[in-house]
């Protein structure tokens, strides 16, 4: 592969990010402070080190690894496979009649990464082999793992007993990791450089070359988990070995884990539990469409990616390598909206953390660690460490307006309402949550503060101020104005008004309806530019995203949000989305802005200082693409919605990896735009809001199955050649089997709905928990 294709293991506290070549790293809870194995990010060779299993032919001295790297055998003599699945990865090699498999996963209920290894002698003679595990331990905190080593190099140690290498960290006496196996090792190394040998790498470790470790452990230095076992395999014989990379000390965890997972039945059971965990989740929404790529992605990979962003947040990948901890306010709000039906508990946790990260002024803290707000007892044990920055106090992370992004908190309004719509938990609005700075309020009051903040922070045209940035981190308008934020404000106001109506809070319905009317008329009067909407104003009043400019004429978000928010009239909506189709479309998706900027202009912001065609300056930024899909669905143009959806679907780029390079099962943050020489190359997999939003756009707007406070909405917008599709949706304990037929070949419009044979209207009220309901929909 041209780049590392990665996967995520672990669904609770321990996580491993692993490549198709077994490169990668593990952490416990925090990728910044809880690192288990070391990674040399952005290094050469690619993705080192990793979680490696070496095999050695003890008769010839020849050796290889079960994953292609790190030994990197000649592919003419060796066959390698890697399979990434939902929370597991499997490496397979076939070399000189030895078939080997290494399955990696983290059981749901134990903080240990298991390597379930099978080795089979497919030849006709007896074979004498050795197997070695290898992981490199880390100094726990990314900062001290990569900066001054004058303390850390002497603060970590390894020791060996009972077949277990235990790694400790003197700074944090509660912190241990271990490597164990289901056998008594023949030799071991806890000291990295004794295993590798000086001036060698993971490609040719001296211990593997020699066929024996040197039983090293030491206090101080760099450490590893290398366990070695000699094997004799008769022709046709197969052997199964389990390695365990765990969190905790030998005494408290290591021995117990070694005992438990030395029984292969427990390994099988843990893997089965993981499978059921995902089956259960995925069964919350399954679709069957005439478009295979669409249902393959929706039923597995897109929702899996969306969950990954919610569970592990956005700071652990091979690009985000763990230097930041916590939550990005806007990213987390949006992520948490996409998978409430598959992971309500985690989404609720994120929502509460974000509510707590809201100031009493009504703005959210752009990037914050929820740990800061936890009471002392809940925090990790606190010992003052010599080289670690102290944990800030809440007051230290509240900087006032200077650091506020104008959109951050607005996203939370929709997310909270989606949470209630999905779960039916109306009482959630009345839960009391503290503000980040002072005081507390109900969830409902938090939402009002968010909406009020945007209403109060408007510029001289009546459009929301841009502040440090809006959704686009690189549009830094300060007191200038952002069309996108006014549209999001309008969208959030309407969502909130619906909630207030449902709760019977009439005074609020009135108050916020009148704010919404003002916002809408400001948008329609000020932002229309003749063919499309402008993107905003600089602080000196220059228009951004206007036909009059030579660069940055047309911005995607100004158009999609005009429509999605409901602020644009239908006529203008059609015109501006036509402009999007005409100027921003490419076969890899929609560009964020056109033409890209070539001249720095600090009144507009950092966007003008990014190379053309990259990231925010005219790349095909993925995250806004699904908003355009939603806009087209609202306009009823199902063919166009599908055209936009299809262009970016990773599945469709499976056969152009020489251009795309990145994983064809993951949305990436961006794809190089037409102004860049590498047009079509995708970068930054996994951690992007596009997964959640594409999932939301496809299920809620293309397939049109949405949940509301009081019912299930059915409002598809599909390509006209689709004759039929099916959705199975679980909602508030009941199951809905929905079959939609489209005999008239239309794109939008529902003629009739039958629920269990009876004619009904959308929204369909929630049915009894446990019931299985058949819904037949006829478009027309
Ligand atoms: C990155 C950020 C996200 C931002 C986007 C556009 O994806 O994580 O918060 O909205 O860039 O700037």
């Amino acid at each position: 592969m041209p780049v590392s294709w990665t996967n995520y293991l672990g669904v609770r506290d321990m996580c491993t990010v692993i490549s198709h070549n077994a490169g990668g790293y593990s952490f416990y809870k925090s990728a910044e402070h809880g690192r288990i194995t070391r990674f040399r990010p952005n290094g050469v060779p690619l993705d080192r080190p990793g979680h490696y299993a070496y095999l050695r032919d003890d008769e010839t001295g020849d050796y290889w690894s079960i994953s292609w790297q790190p030994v990197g055998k000649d592919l003419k003599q060796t066959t390698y496979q890697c399979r990434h699945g939902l929370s597991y990865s499997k490496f397979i090699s076939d070399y000189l009649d030895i078939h080997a498999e290494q399955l990696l996963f983290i059981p749901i209920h134990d903080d240990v990464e298991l390597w379930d290894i099978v080795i089979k002698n497919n030849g006709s003679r007896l074979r004498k082999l050795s197997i070695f595990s290898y992981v490199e331990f880390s100094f726990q905190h990314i900062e001290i793992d990569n900066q001054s080593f004058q303390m850390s190099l002497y603060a970590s140690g390894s020791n060996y007993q009972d077949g277990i290498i235990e790694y400790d960290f003197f700074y944090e006496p509660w912190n241990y990791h271990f490597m164990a196996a289901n056998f008594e090792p023949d030799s071991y190394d806890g000291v990295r450089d004794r295993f590798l040998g000086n001036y060698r790498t993971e490609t040719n470790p001296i211990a593997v070359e020699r066929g024996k470790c040197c039983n090293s452990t030491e206090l101080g230095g760099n450490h590893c988990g290398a366990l070695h076992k000699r094997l004799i395999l008769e022709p046709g014989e197969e052997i199964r070995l389990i390695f365990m990379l765990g969190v905790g000390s030998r005494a408290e965890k290591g021995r117990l884990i070694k005992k438990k997972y030395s029984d292969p039945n427990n390994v099988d059971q843990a893997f089965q539990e993981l499978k059921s965990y995902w089956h259960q989740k995925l069964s919350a929404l399954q679709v069957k469409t005439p478009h295979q790529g669409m249902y393959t992605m929706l039923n597995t990979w897109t929702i899996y990616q969306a969950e990954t962003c919610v569970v592990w947040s956005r700071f652990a990948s091979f690009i985000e390598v763990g230097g930041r901890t916590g939550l990005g306010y806007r990213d987390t709000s949006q992520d948490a909206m996409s998978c409430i039906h598959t992971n309500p508990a985690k989404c609720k946790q994120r929502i509460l953390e974000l509510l707590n990260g809201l100031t009493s002024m009504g703005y959210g803290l752009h990037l914050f660690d929820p740990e800061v707000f936890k009471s002392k007892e809940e925090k990790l044990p606190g010992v003052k460490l010599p080289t670690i920055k102290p944990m800030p106090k809440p007051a230290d992370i509240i900087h006032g307006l200077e650091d506020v992004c104008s959109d951050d908190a607005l996203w939370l309004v929709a997310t909270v309402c989606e949470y209630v719509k999905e779960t039916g938990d109306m009482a959630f609005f009345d839960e009391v949550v503290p503000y980040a700075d002072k005081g507390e309020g109900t969830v409902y009051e938090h939402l009002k503060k968010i909406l009020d903040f945007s209403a109060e922070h408007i510029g001289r045209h009546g459009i929301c101020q841009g502040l440090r940035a809006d959704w686009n981190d690189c549009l830094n308008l300060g007191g200038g104005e952002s069309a996108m934020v006014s549209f999001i404000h309008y969208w959030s106001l309407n969502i909130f008004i619906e909630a207030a109506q449902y709760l019977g809070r009439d005074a609020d319905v009135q108050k916020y309806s009148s704010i919404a009317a003002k916002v809408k008329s400001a948008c329609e009067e000020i932002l229309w530019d003749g063919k499309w909407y402008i993107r905003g104003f600089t602080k000196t009043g220059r228009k951004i995203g206007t036909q009059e400019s030579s660069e940055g004429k047309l911005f995607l978000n100004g158009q999609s949000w005009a429509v999605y928010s409901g602020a644009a009239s239908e006529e203008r909506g059609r015109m501006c989305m036509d402009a999007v189709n005409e100027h921003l479309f490419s076969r890899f998706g929609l560009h964020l802005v056109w033409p890209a900027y070539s001249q720095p202009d600090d009144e507009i912001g950092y966007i003008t200082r990014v190379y053309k065609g990259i990231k925010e300056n005219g790349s095909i930024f993925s995250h806004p693409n699904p908003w355009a899909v939603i806009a087209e669905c609202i306009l009823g143009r199902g063919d166009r919605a599908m055209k936009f959806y299809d262009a970016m679907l990773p599945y469709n780029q499976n056969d152009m990896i020489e251009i795309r390079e990145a994983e064809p099962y993951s949305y990436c943050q961006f794809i190089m735009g037409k102004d860049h020489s590498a047009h079509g190359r995708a970068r930054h997999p996994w951690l992007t809001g596009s997964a959640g939003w594409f999932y939301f756009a496809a299920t809620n707007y293309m397939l049109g199955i949405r949940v509301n406070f009081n019912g299930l909405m059915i409002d598809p917008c599909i390509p006209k050649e689709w004759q039929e599709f099916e959705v199975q949706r679980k909602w508030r304990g009941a199951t809905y089997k929905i079959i939609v037929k489209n005999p008239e070949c239309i794109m939008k419009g529902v003629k009739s709905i039958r629920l269990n044979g009876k004619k009904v209207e959308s929204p369909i009220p929630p049915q009894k928990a446990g019931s299985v309901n058949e819904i037949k929909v006829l478009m027309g």
Side-chain angles (χ1 to χ4, degrees), residues 239-256:
I239 185 167
R240 187 171 174 193
L241 303 161
I242 313 294
F243 289 90
M244 307 156 205
L245 167 66
V247 178
S249 66
R250 178 187 296 110
E252 280 182 16
K253 285 282 176 193
R255 285 198 190 97
L256 288 173

PDB file of all heavy atoms in Angstrom, residues 239-256:
ATOM      1  N   ILE A 239      -0.322 -25.325  15.744  1.00  0.00           N
ATOM      2  CA  ILE A 239      -0.205 -24.949  17.163  1.00  0.00           C
ATOM      3  C   ILE A 239      -0.809 -23.562  17.366  1.00  0.00           C
ATOM      4  O   ILE A 239      -0.764 -22.721  16.463  1.00  0.00           O
ATOM      5  CB  ILE A 239       1.270 -25.019  17.621  1.00  0.00           C
ATOM      6  CG1 ILE A 239       1.391 -24.760  19.116  1.00  0.00           C
ATOM      7  CG2 ILE A 239       2.145 -24.059  16.869  1.00  0.00           C
ATOM      8  CD1 ILE A 239       2.742 -25.128  19.673  1.00  0.00           C
ATOM      9  N   ARG A 240      -1.407 -23.372  18.514  1.00  0.00           N
ATOM     10  CA  ARG A 240      -2.028 -22.080  18.798  1.00  0.00           C
ATOM     11  C   ARG A 240      -1.346 -21.446  20.007  1.00  0.00           C
ATOM     12  O   ARG A 240      -1.193 -22.097  21.049  1.00  0.00           O
ATOM     13  CB  ARG A 240      -3.514 -22.300  19.092  1.00  0.00           C
ATOM     14  CG  ARG A 240      -4.303 -21.023  19.224  1.00  0.00           C
ATOM     15  CD  ARG A 240      -5.772 -21.344  19.296  1.00  0.00           C
ATOM     16  NE  ARG A 240      -6.551 -20.146  19.560  1.00  0.00           N
ATOM     17  CZ  ARG A 240      -7.822 -20.148  19.913  1.00  0.00           C
ATOM     18  NH1 ARG A 240      -8.481 -21.311  20.035  1.00  0.00           N
ATOM     19  NH2 ARG A 240      -8.462 -19.026  20.126  1.00  0.00           N
ATOM     20  N   LEU A 241      -0.935 -20.197  19.871  1.00  0.00           N
ATOM     21  CA  LEU A 241      -0.245 -19.493  20.954  1.00  0.00           C
ATOM     22  C   LEU A 241      -0.961 -18.175  21.215  1.00  0.00           C
ATOM     23  O   LEU A 241      -1.447 -17.542  20.286  1.00  0.00           O
ATOM     24  CB  LEU A 241       1.198 -19.174  20.544  1.00  0.00           C
ATOM     25  CG  LEU A 241       2.063 -20.364  20.147  1.00  0.00           C
ATOM     26  CD1 LEU A 241       3.249 -19.897  19.334  1.00  0.00           C
ATOM     27  CD2 LEU A 241       2.549 -21.095  21.399  1.00  0.00           C
ATOM     28  N   ILE A 242      -0.987 -17.786  22.474  1.00  0.00           N
ATOM     29  CA  ILE A 242      -1.641 -16.516  22.806  1.00  0.00           C
ATOM     30  C   ILE A 242      -0.621 -15.593  23.480  1.00  0.00           C
ATOM     31  O   ILE A 242       0.017 -15.982  24.465  1.00  0.00           O
ATOM     32  CB  ILE A 242      -2.818 -16.723  23.797  1.00  0.00           C
ATOM     33  CG1 ILE A 242      -3.731 -17.881  23.378  1.00  0.00           C
ATOM     34  CG2 ILE A 242      -3.604 -15.425  23.981  1.00  0.00           C
ATOM     35  CD1 ILE A 242      -4.492 -17.681  22.095  1.00  0.00           C
ATOM     36  N   PHE A 243      -0.466 -14.409  22.955  1.00  0.00           N
ATOM     37  CA  PHE A 243       0.335 -13.374  23.625  1.00  0.00           C
ATOM     38  C   PHE A 243      -0.623 -12.338  24.196  1.00  0.00           C
ATOM     39  O   PHE A 243      -1.701 -12.113  23.636  1.00  0.00           O
ATOM     40  CB  PHE A 243       1.298 -12.700  22.649  1.00  0.00           C
ATOM     41  CG  PHE A 243       2.444 -13.583  22.216  1.00  0.00           C
ATOM     42  CD1 PHE A 243       2.326 -14.398  21.097  1.00  0.00           C
ATOM     43  CD2 PHE A 243       3.633 -13.586  22.929  1.00  0.00           C
ATOM     44  CE1 PHE A 243       3.382 -15.202  20.698  1.00  0.00           C
ATOM     45  CE2 PHE A 243       4.697 -14.383  22.536  1.00  0.00           C
ATOM     46  CZ  PHE A 243       4.574 -15.209  21.408  1.00  0.00           C
ATOM     47  N   MET A 244      -0.188 -11.711  25.287  1.00  0.00           N
ATOM     48  CA  MET A 244      -1.077 -10.762  25.987  1.00  0.00           C
ATOM     49  C   MET A 244      -0.306  -9.500  26.347  1.00  0.00           C
ATOM     50  O   MET A 244       0.658  -9.563  27.100  1.00  0.00           O
ATOM     51  CB  MET A 244      -1.599 -11.420  27.279  1.00  0.00           C
ATOM     52  CG  MET A 244      -2.240 -12.768  27.038  1.00  0.00           C
ATOM     53  SD  MET A 244      -2.200 -13.801  28.520  1.00  0.00           S
ATOM     54  CE  MET A 244      -2.263 -15.452  27.793  1.00  0.00           C
ATOM     55  N   LEU A 245      -0.720  -8.401  25.779  1.00  0.00           N
ATOM     56  CA  LEU A 245      -0.120  -7.104  26.094  1.00  0.00           C
ATOM     57  C   LEU A 245      -1.120  -6.370  26.977  1.00  0.00           C
ATOM     58  O   LEU A 245      -2.194  -5.977  26.511  1.00  0.00           O
ATOM     59  CB  LEU A 245       0.122  -6.322  24.796  1.00  0.00           C
ATOM     60  CG  LEU A 245       0.454  -4.840  24.945  1.00  0.00           C
ATOM     61  CD1 LEU A 245       1.795  -4.655  25.644  1.00  0.00           C
ATOM     62  CD2 LEU A 245       0.459  -4.158  23.583  1.00  0.00           C
ATOM     63  N   GLY A 246      -0.794  -6.239  28.260  1.00  0.00           N
ATOM     64  CA  GLY A 246      -1.835  -5.775  29.182  1.00  0.00           C
ATOM     65  C   GLY A 246      -1.493  -4.543  29.976  1.00  0.00           C
ATOM     66  O   GLY A 246      -0.338  -4.100  30.047  1.00  0.00           O
ATOM     67  N   VAL A 247      -2.526  -4.025  30.605  1.00  0.00           N
ATOM     68  CA  VAL A 247      -2.410  -2.859  31.490  1.00  0.00           C
ATOM     69  C   VAL A 247      -2.518  -3.366  32.923  1.00  0.00           C
ATOM     70  O   VAL A 247      -3.459  -4.102  33.240  1.00  0.00           O
ATOM     71  CB  VAL A 247      -3.566  -1.867  31.228  1.00  0.00           C
ATOM     72  CG1 VAL A 247      -3.483  -0.667  32.171  1.00  0.00           C
ATOM     73  CG2 VAL A 247      -3.565  -1.419  29.773  1.00  0.00           C
ATOM     74  N   GLY A 248      -1.586  -2.952  33.784  1.00  0.00           N
ATOM     75  CA  GLY A 248      -1.649  -3.359  35.190  1.00  0.00           C
ATOM     76  C   GLY A 248      -0.386  -4.107  35.591  1.00  0.00           C
ATOM     77  O   GLY A 248       0.427  -4.477  34.742  1.00  0.00           O
ATOM     78  N   SER A 249      -0.246  -4.311  36.878  1.00  0.00           N
ATOM     79  CA  SER A 249       0.969  -4.973  37.365  1.00  0.00           C
ATOM     80  C   SER A 249       0.830  -6.487  37.262  1.00  0.00           C
ATOM     81  O   SER A 249      -0.274  -7.008  37.106  1.00  0.00           O
ATOM     82  CB  SER A 249       1.206  -4.591  38.823  1.00  0.00           C
ATOM     83  OG  SER A 249       0.163  -5.132  39.602  1.00  0.00           O
ATOM     84  N   ARG A 250       1.957  -7.154  37.373  1.00  0.00           N
ATOM     85  CA  ARG A 250       1.933  -8.624  37.350  1.00  0.00           C
ATOM     86  C   ARG A 250       1.040  -9.153  38.476  1.00  0.00           C
ATOM     87  O   ARG A 250       0.202 -10.027  38.274  1.00  0.00           O
ATOM     88  CB  ARG A 250       3.351  -9.164  37.529  1.00  0.00           C
ATOM     89  CG  ARG A 250       3.417 -10.689  37.578  1.00  0.00           C
ATOM     90  CD  ARG A 250       4.810 -11.190  37.929  1.00  0.00           C
ATOM     91  NE  ARG A 250       5.770 -10.825  36.912  1.00  0.00           N
ATOM     92  CZ  ARG A 250       6.722  -9.918  37.082  1.00  0.00           C
ATOM     93  NH1 ARG A 250       6.853  -9.299  38.238  1.00  0.00           N
ATOM     94  NH2 ARG A 250       7.555  -9.642  36.123  1.00  0.00           N
ATOM     95  N   ALA A 251       1.246  -8.542  39.668  1.00  0.00           N
ATOM     96  CA  ALA A 251       0.535  -9.055  40.835  1.00  0.00           C
ATOM     97  C   ALA A 251      -0.970  -8.845  40.708  1.00  0.00           C
ATOM     98  O   ALA A 251      -1.760  -9.739  41.004  1.00  0.00           O
ATOM     99  CB  ALA A 251       1.061  -8.365  42.087  1.00  0.00           C
ATOM    100  N   GLU A 252      -1.358  -7.659  40.238  1.00  0.00           N
ATOM    101  CA  GLU A 252      -2.796  -7.371  40.224  1.00  0.00           C
ATOM    102  C   GLU A 252      -3.497  -7.873  38.987  1.00  0.00           C
ATOM    103  O   GLU A 252      -4.655  -8.253  39.020  1.00  0.00           O
ATOM    104  CB  GLU A 252      -3.018  -5.866  40.375  1.00  0.00           C
ATOM    105  CG  GLU A 252      -2.904  -5.429  41.811  1.00  0.00           C
ATOM    106  CD  GLU A 252      -3.160  -3.950  41.972  1.00  0.00           C
ATOM    107  OE1 GLU A 252      -3.715  -3.321  41.061  1.00  0.00           O
ATOM    108  OE2 GLU A 252      -2.776  -3.430  43.034  1.00  0.00           O
ATOM    109  N   LYS A 253      -2.818  -7.823  37.865  1.00  0.00           N
ATOM    110  CA  LYS A 253      -3.496  -8.161  36.610  1.00  0.00           C
ATOM    111  C   LYS A 253      -2.791  -9.266  35.825  1.00  0.00           C
ATOM    112  O   LYS A 253      -3.418 -10.180  35.310  1.00  0.00           O
ATOM    113  CB  LYS A 253      -3.579  -6.912  35.715  1.00  0.00           C
ATOM    114  CG  LYS A 253      -4.604  -5.919  36.154  1.00  0.00           C
ATOM    115  CD  LYS A 253      -5.992  -6.357  35.749  1.00  0.00           C
ATOM    116  CE  LYS A 253      -7.010  -5.379  36.304  1.00  0.00           C
ATOM    117  NZ  LYS A 253      -8.349  -5.877  36.220  1.00  0.00           N
ATOM    118  N   GLY A 254      -1.479  -9.133  35.698  1.00  0.00           N
ATOM    119  CA  GLY A 254      -0.726  -9.999  34.790  1.00  0.00           C
ATOM    120  C   GLY A 254      -0.990 -11.483  35.011  1.00  0.00           C
ATOM    121  O   GLY A 254      -1.305 -12.212  34.071  1.00  0.00           O
ATOM    122  N   ARG A 255      -0.897 -11.918  36.263  1.00  0.00           N
ATOM    123  CA  ARG A 255      -1.063 -13.349  36.533  1.00  0.00           C
ATOM    124  C   ARG A 255      -2.482 -13.803  36.212  1.00  0.00           C
ATOM    125  O   ARG A 255      -2.692 -14.875  35.643  1.00  0.00           O
ATOM    126  CB  ARG A 255      -0.732 -13.665  37.990  1.00  0.00           C
ATOM    127  CG  ARG A 255       0.743 -13.650  38.272  1.00  0.00           C
ATOM    128  CD  ARG A 255       1.079 -14.383  39.572  1.00  0.00           C
ATOM    129  NE  ARG A 255       2.463 -14.127  39.921  1.00  0.00           N
ATOM    130  CZ  ARG A 255       2.861 -13.190  40.776  1.00  0.00           C
ATOM    131  NH1 ARG A 255       1.969 -12.447  41.412  1.00  0.00           N
ATOM    132  NH2 ARG A 255       4.145 -13.000  41.024  1.00  0.00           N
ATOM    133  N   LEU A 256      -3.444 -12.960  36.591  1.00  0.00           N
ATOM    134  CA  LEU A 256      -4.851 -13.324  36.346  1.00  0.00           C
ATOM    135  C   LEU A 256      -5.144 -13.398  34.851  1.00  0.00           C
ATOM    136  O   LEU A 256      -5.784 -14.343  34.370  1.00  0.00           O
ATOM    137  CB  LEU A 256      -5.771 -12.256  36.958  1.00  0.00           C
ATOM    138  CG  LEU A 256      -5.844 -12.244  38.466  1.00  0.00           C
ATOM    139  CD1 LEU A 256      -6.633 -11.038  38.945  1.00  0.00           C
ATOM    140  CD2 LEU A 256      -6.492 -13.547  38.951  1.00  0.00           C
TER     141      LEU A 256
END
